[in-house]
């Protein structure tokens, strides 16, 4: 079969080894593939900046309210304070940082296939999905619990015989809606938190991208499954921007059938530069990708991941 080609930058790649003191754990080597030019365009002010500003505004409001309650000795309406705290966490969660610091994991591919089918590669390098931001999930949990608590307090007030005038139909309906909505938010947060711990228990396939000597395997929702390296004709980097100005980095793999597979580089725990270097090297160099699935190759990929984090050329998104 003809050799697959990868669209790479024509500028010479940096290959210097960084000192281990620059990395958090182990040696750090700058990836041998140049940072894609498509990813160098400075971003516009988007939801990341907006989320941080709104988050700090809510924090300021919360601090003022708490100080006022301590000064006046009033500790009622704690559910309302919790709502403000939940909104602050949500705002910070929306402004999720885009600078992952993870490294690939060396796993047996049986873990990814759940043992249903024979794997194409015995050992692979797993790059996990980043999952939902922990602050965002915490904000949903706190907000849901606060709203549900407010609904419960409202229903208790309605049932209080000392205040019969407060037992209006509208208040009962409003309290019931708060309780139901808060409970729904809390359940959603619990499900998202459970999704963050995917692969924490035996029998659950992790979500992410795995690289092996014979191909790449994606797992999780809307995954492409196993794709042989020989079927990939080209790889290119792409920057996508939505109507709000939020930019994201993607790696597009063109198959011999003409179809394209989109890899969301920002959605993985490994730095996008290292992910691009791994995929580009595997597509362009059959001899190099034949080493995948070995301990030596895993050490090399881990060094690339740490090096990309230390020598990060990405603009602030």
């Amino acid at each position: 079969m003809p050799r697959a080609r990868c669209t790479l930058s024509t500028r010479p790649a940096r290959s210097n080894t960084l000192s281990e003191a620059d990395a958090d754990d182990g040696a750090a080597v700058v990836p041998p593939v140049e940072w894609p030019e498509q990813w160098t365009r400075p971003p516009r002010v988007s939801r990341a900046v907006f989320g941080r500003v709104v988050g700090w505004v809510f924090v300021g409001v919360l601090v003022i309210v708490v100080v006022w309650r301590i000064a006046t000795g009033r500790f009622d309406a704690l559910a309302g304070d919790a709502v403000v705290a939940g909104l602050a966490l949500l705002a910070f969660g929306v402004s999720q940082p885009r600078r992952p610091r993870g490294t690939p994991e060396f796993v047996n591919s049986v873990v990814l296939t759940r043992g249903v089918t024979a794997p194409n590669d015995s050992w692979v390098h797993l790059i996990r999905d980043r999952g939902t931001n922990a602050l965002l999930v915490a904000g949903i949990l706190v907000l849901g619990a606060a709203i549900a608590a407010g609904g419960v307090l409202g229903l208790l007030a309605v049932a209080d015989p000392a205040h019969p005038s407060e037992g209006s139909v509208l208040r009962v309906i409003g309290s019931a809606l708060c309780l139901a909505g808060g409970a729904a938010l809390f359940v959603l947060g619990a499900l998202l938190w459970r999704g963050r711990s995917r692969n924490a228990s035996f029998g659950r396939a992790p979500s992410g991208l795995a690289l092996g000597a014979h191909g790449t395997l994606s797992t999780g929702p809307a995954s492409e499954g196993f794709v042989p390296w020989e079927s990939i004709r080209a790889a290119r980097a792409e920057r996508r921007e939505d109507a709000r100005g939020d930019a994201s980095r993607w790696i597009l793999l063109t198959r011999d059938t003409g179809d394209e597979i989109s890899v969301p580089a920002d959605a993985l725990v490994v730095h996008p530069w290292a992910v691009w270097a791994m995929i580009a090297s595997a597509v362009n160099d059959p001899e190099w990708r034949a080493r995948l699935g070995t301990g030596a190759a895993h050490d090399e990929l881990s060094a690339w991941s740490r090096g990309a984090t230390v020598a990060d050329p990405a603009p602030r998104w």
Side-chain angles (χ1 to χ4, degrees):
M1 298 184 67
R3 180 179 178 180
R5 294 189 178 274
C6 177
T7 305
L8 301 177
S9 171
T10 56
R11 293 177 296 169
R14 292 172 292 176
S15 58
N16 57 297
T17 301
L18 304 173
S19 65
E20 294 193 17
D22 294 332
D24 293 333
D25 181 22
V29 178
V30 172
V33 177
E34 192 70 23
W35 174 260
E37 294 183 0
Q38 296 88 338
W39 290 351
T40 58
R41 179 183 172 186
R44 298 189 298 180
V45 177
S46 60
R47 66 178 183 180
V49 176
F50 178 77
R52 294 188 184 98
V53 172
V54 173
W56 283 114
V57 168
F58 279 122
V59 169
V61 172
L62 183 62
V63 170
I64 293 173
V65 171
V66 171
V67 171
W68 176 78
R69 293 194 187 282
I70 294 175
T72 59
R74 296 187 57 184
F75 299 97
D76 54 345
L78 293 178
D81 299 346
V83 168
V84 177
L87 291 175
L89 289 172
L90 286 176
F92 284 122
V94 169
S95 60
Q96 174 179 355
R98 295 174 178 263
R99 294 181 180 271
R101 298 177 177 273
T103 58
E105 299 178 26
F106 198 34
V107 301
N108 192 296
S109 54
V110 173
V111 176
L112 307 178
T113 61
R114 301 181 182 179
V116 177
T117 58
N120 299 87
D121 293 297
S122 297
W123 291 90
V124 295
H125 312 276
L126 173 64
I127 306 174
R128 290 181 183 270
D129 286 339
R130 296 179 67 177
T132 309
N133 189 311
L135 288 177
L136 184 63
V137 177
I140 293 175
L141 289 171
V142 172
L143 191 61
I147 294 176
V152 171
L153 293 176
L155 292 175
L156 292 176
V158 170
D160 188 356
H163 303 85
S165 61
E166 297 182 358
S168 63
V169 176
L170 291 179
R171 183 158 186 173
V172 172
I173 294 176
S175 299
L177 289 177
C178 284
L179 177 58
L185 272 179
F186 190 85
V187 171
L188 173 62
L191 292 176
L192 291 175
W193 192 268
R194 183 184 180 188
R196 281 181 53 83
S197 60
R198 189 179 179 90
N199 194 40
S201 60
F202 180 79
R204 299 197 65 194
S207 180
L209 181 70
L211 307 179
H214 296 91
T216 174
L217 174 66
S218 58
T219 61
S223 63
E224 294 287 342
F226 179 78
V227 179
W229 294 120
E230 292 294 338
S231 69
I232 300 175
R233 289 292 168 262
R236 61 185 176 90
E238 183 179 84
R239 180 183 189 271
R240 298 178 183 177
E241 188 173 295
D242 59 23
R244 297 178 300 178
D246 293 328
S248 57
R249 306 179 185 96
W250 293 76
I251 300 173
L252 303 183
L253 306 178
T254 304
R255 304 189 63 175
D256 49 11
T257 58
D259 300 333
E260 282 192 337
I261 301 173
S262 298
V263 179
D266 285 323
L268 302 172
V269 299
V270 173
H271 193 284
W273 187 11
V275 177
W276 166 246
M278 296 173 195
I279 293 179
S281 300
V283 170
N284 196 51
D285 189 349
E287 294 183 2
W288 180 87
R289 68 178 180 239
R291 298 175 51 242
L292 293 175
T294 64
H298 184 72
D299 292 340
E300 183 177 7
L301 299 185
S302 298
W304 289 3
S305 302
R306 289 186 287 267
T309 301
V310 174
D312 189 356
R316 294 290 177 180
W317 285 37

